[in-house]
Amino acid sequence: MGSNEQQFEQARQLIPGGVNSPVRAFGSVGGTPRFFVSANGPYITDVEGREYVDLVASWGPALLGHAHPDVVAAVQDAAARGLSFGASTPGETELAELIHSRVSDSRQPFGGAQSAVHPVEKVRLVSTGTEATMTAIRLARGFTGRDLLVKFAGHYHGHSDSLLAEAGSGVATLALPGSAGITAATAAQTLVLPYNDVDAVRAAFAEHGDHIAAIIVEAASANMGVVPPAPGFNRELSRITREHGALLILDEVLTGFRSGPAGWWGLEASGQVPDGTGWVPDLMTFGKVVGGGMPLAALGGRADVMDYLAPVGPVYQAGTLSGNPLAVAAGIATLRAADAAVYERLSTVADQVASATSAALAAEGVAHSVQRAGTLFSFAFSANAPHNYADVKAQEAFRYPPFFHAMLDAGVNLPPSVFEAWFVTSAHDDAAVTRILDALPAAARAAAAATGPE
Ligand SMILES: *Cc1c(COP(=O)(O)O)cnc(C)c1O
């Protein structure tokens, strides 16, 4: 099969940059991206036969670890019955019901919401997180009859046109202001505000309140590294949108069913986050975990808003492969298997890896901040915790590439960008965690030895 180097060389002949999604190219860390051939539990193996402990987890979906037997069996069973019908299947309703009950039913064993209002009364399945947020925005515009959208700098909601202004994830990694190819007219419909700044939101609504269709916000931001919302921030967004007749779209594509059993909102609604109770978003978007590693995402929300979607309402949205039976089977199997013990394990592993990494960096005198949101975490190379995109960009990001490569050389696969969260799985057992911890001292030394751009 050749080496990673040969694979990358060949890929670059035919695929722009050799990758089908930009962050994979190692642009901000340098070196040769690994080409993987298989993954199991917490481990992933490249074309050269090297095994790594994986802390990317497909950027979140592999909540249970790779190739979980229940999920693989469900997909194999579904495949044997036909790959796609372009018509309705019973599994779609079952998955919609799982999403609905997890997020909104306070009688859930996980104790999600305390609210009498169900934030996810209806659900539509789509294929990617990008489609889910794009549809949610179109729906908000159709429902309110307004054009403007508010988003926050450093937040990533997928790559649809309205949402690439000052976005996180790959846009942040490549240090782009946005993307070429987006019309000035589209860009002008998106107001980009600093995150965690309620005054900026109030000011924007004071000026444009009658024209704002929606605020879209990551439930807890994790695409500029992890930056949790300030206590009460999401609730305040809910209050302001309500006051002005706009909608609040809570993007849980990354946090949904990962930061907790009912997503980040579930943590707030059940009082596990300070000042979190007493509010409900109008629309929510899900992806990543909800598809269990297959291309599946969803949007859900208030019934009156969701019923604006075709064929009931005037807002069009469709997909040849929407609700694909294999993807639905993977989603159902994943959510069914993700019980309280799974979240307990995720939490334990996140605690262990986060505190050991912090200790290793501290031992080498590297200024850093541990950024946490539920089971999600990352590190910023700055003494003070960043609260927004400007803070995040001001860190000593040059310390990450040597840290990343030292970990990779020691057999630990981290996200190839300082602007991404680290992802643990419930399959990370003590042996896998030990391998991570053993790799940390040398990586911390490499970070300490790094010299700045000047
Ligand atoms: C990953 C992500 C998306 C986009 O999902 P895709 O499936 O990559 O299109 C949207 N919002 C958030 C918060 C994400 O993390």
Side-chain angles (χ1 to χ4, degrees):
M1 231 175 308
S3 63
N4 289 300
E5 189 64 54
Q6 288 164 334
Q7 288 288 338
F8 192 40
E9 196 40 55
Q10 286 167 17
R12 271 189 295 191
Q13 311 290 323
L14 285 166
I15 299 173
V19 293
N20 285 311
S21 197
V23 179
R24 296 178 193 171
F26 276 27
S28 76
V29 291
T32 307
R34 301 301 188 260
F35 279 63
F36 294 111
V37 291
S38 66
N40 202 282
Y43 300 108
I44 188 163
T45 303
D46 73 11
V47 286
E48 297 175 14
R50 272 203 84 198
E51 185 188 81
Y52 306 80
V53 181
D54 189 21
L55 286 172
V56 178
S58 187
W59 301 101
L63 188 78
L64 309 170
H66 293 286
H68 187 281
D70 292 359
V71 180
V72 171
V75 172
Q76 283 172 337
D77 282 359
R81 291 192 298 270
L83 298 182
S84 171
F85 311 129
S88 296
T89 57
E92 291 161 67
T93 315
E94 193 182 340
L95 183 55
E97 159 57 23
L98 274 172
I99 296 168
H100 164 83
S101 58
R102 271 208 174 222
V103 177
S104 55
D105 189 347
S106 58
R107 288 159 300 180
Q108 273 287 300
F110 310 126
Q114 301 293 325
S115 169
V117 185
H118 285 196
V120 180
E121 292 176 324
K122 292 204 169 174
V123 178
R124 175 150 292 175
L125 302 181
V126 295
S127 299
T128 67
T130 294
E131 263 189 284
T133 57
M134 181 184 79
T135 304
I137 288 159
R138 186 181 305 140
L139 189 51
R141 287 177 166 148
F143 184 80
T144 59
R146 299 171 177 183
D147 288 346
L148 294 181
L149 175 74
V150 170
K151 81 174 282 283
F152 296 98
H155 280 200
Y156 182 69
H157 303 288
H159 65 95
S160 72
D161 285 4
S162 325
L163 291 170
L164 280 178
E166 292 194 54
S169 192
V171 182
T173 302
L174 303 174
L176 304 173
S179 167
I182 291 171
T183 65
T186 299
Q189 309 285 2
T190 307
L191 308 175
V192 183
L193 303 180
Y195 186 51
N196 276 330
D197 185 342
V198 173
D199 290 340
V201 179
R202 285 210 190 94
F205 273 83
E207 197 178 341
H208 306 286
D210 294 346
H211 302 284
I212 296 172
I215 296 179
I216 185 166
V217 63
E218 286 189 49
S221 43
N223 282 290
M224 50 174 162
V226 172
V227 179
F233 180 70
N234 287 334
R235 183 169 65 190
E236 199 55 21
L237 297 183
S238 168
R239 213 182 54 72
I240 294 169
T241 45
R242 207 142 285 207
E243 212 171 275
H244 290 270
L247 301 185
L248 178 62
I249 303 168
L250 193 69
D251 185 354
E252 294 241 27
V253 169
L254 198 152
T255 48
F257 315 120
R258 171 168 279 282
S259 55
W264 180 264
W265 185 79
L267 295 182
E268 293 215 8
S270 59
Q272 294 172 69
V273 170
D275 293 335
T277 55
W279 65 282
V280 235
D282 300 291
L283 291 172
M284 294 173 96
T285 52
F286 304 96
K288 299 191 168 103
V289 169
V290 78
M294 297 287 286
L296 186 141
L299 66 151
R302 275 165 54 182
D304 60 336
V305 180
M306 289 298 291
D307 280 340
Y308 254 65
L309 283 174
V312 191
V315 174
Y316 195 70
Q317 182 278 331
T320 302
L321 294 176
S322 288
N324 172 267
L326 275 61
V328 164
I332 292 172
T334 299
L335 292 184
R336 286 212 180 293
D339 59 9
V342 161
Y343 291 99
E344 183 88 30
R345 182 65 197 161
L346 289 168
S347 181
T348 302
V349 176
D351 287 349
Q352 287 174 332
V353 176
S355 62
T357 305
S358 180
L361 291 170
E364 297 299 329
V366 178
H368 67 281
S369 157
V370 184
Q371 299 287 105
R372 272 302 279 269
T375 61
L376 284 162
F377 61 98
S378 68
F379 299 87
F381 291 104
S382 58
N384 299 321
H387 298 295
N388 60 36
Y389 194 36
D391 294 348
V392 160
K393 284 196 292 191
Q395 71 178 295
E396 294 181 330
F398 62 86
R399 299 197 186 279
Y400 191 72
F403 179 87
F404 166 86
H405 278 290
M407 293 297 280
L408 196 65
D409 289 347
V412 179
N413 187 48
L414 289 179
S417 164
V418 75
F419 298 114
E420 304 284 357
W422 298 19
F423 296 95
V424 297
T425 81
S426 58
H428 281 77
D429 55 10
D430 292 343
V433 170
T434 301
R435 271 170 67 169
I436 298 167
L437 303 198
D438 287 348
L440 287 168
R445 275 196 297 281
T451 46
E454 206 227 342

